[in-house]
Amino acid sequence: MLYGAGEREISAEKQSDIIQALSESDNSAIFLSVKDDQLAGYLFAIGGNTKKNEHSAYIVIGLRKENQGRGIGTALFGELDNWAFKHKLHRLELTVIKENLPAVKLYEKAGFSLEGIKKDSLYMDGRFVDEYYMSKILEG
């Protein structure tokens, strides 16, 4: 989602390598939602790779526009929570464009809270935009 059209070369082999690496990591996972035999949405949990941050995972989620507002994101976050507790993760984190209110609301509904603002972190549509840092601490 960060890349614009033509900025990233994706091949089946590269995607396969990413999926394999995440699958082999105890603190990383991929969750998919399929509707009518098509990918409706996905959520990646990318775990830290050192002893100091292996308790944490960075979240990347994407939903097809036509599937937004239909509970798919909520369901993906529910699966994430179940998996994260099972794998004894303590912290989930993500960033989101400040103006993306539907996404911010989804993340808040999933239990994420605002930690801070990344000022002018992205350049889009001829202007700089801020992102929110958001996190969720898992207790118990």
Side-chain angles (χ1 to χ4, degrees):
M1 290 181 296
L2 184 60
Y3 294 95
E7 286 185 320
R8 181 176 176 182
E9 290 183 34
I10 293 290
S11 68
E13 183 179 337
K14 283 183 184 179
Q15 289 298 100
S16 179
D17 290 345
I18 291 168
I19 291 167
Q20 174 129 9
L22 291 175
S23 299
E24 292 173 354
S25 172
D26 287 338
N27 64 347
S28 297
I30 301 171
F31 302 92
L32 303 176
S33 176
V34 177
K35 183 178 178 188
D36 300 326
D37 294 326
Q38 289 202 14
L39 182 65
Y42 64 87
L43 187 149
F44 286 11
I46 304 166
N49 57 6
T50 69
K51 285 286 182 195
K52 289 182 180 180
N53 71 357
E54 67 186 4
H55 67 281
S56 180
Y58 184 80
I59 307 307
V60 178
I61 184 171
L63 300 173
R64 286 187 181 269
K65 196 166 210 63
E66 63 269 18
N67 292 313
Q68 293 175 357
R70 296 190 174 175
I72 293 170
T74 300
L76 287 168
F77 275 111
E79 292 297 321
L80 171 67
D81 283 347
N82 292 335
W83 170 85
F85 281 115
K86 182 178 174 185
H87 287 84
K88 297 181 172 65
L89 291 185
H90 179 70
R91 176 184 169 86
L92 303 174
E93 58 188 38
L94 55 83
T95 58
V96 59
I97 295 171
K98 188 176 168 181
E99 298 166 5
N100 188 348
L101 297 181
V104 172
K105 287 180 182 180
L106 170 63
Y107 304 151
E108 289 174 339
K109 180 178 176 182
F112 285 76
S113 56
L114 178 65
E115 285 192 332
I117 298 174
K118 290 175 68 175
K119 294 293 228 176
D120 290 351
S121 64
L122 300 174
Y123 187 78
M124 298 172 43
D125 301 323
R127 63 189 181 90
F128 290 100
V129 296
D130 299 343
E131 286 183 289
Y132 284 140
Y133 279 112
M134 297 182 79
S135 70
K136 178 177 182 177
I137 303 301
L138 305 171
E139 302 294 338

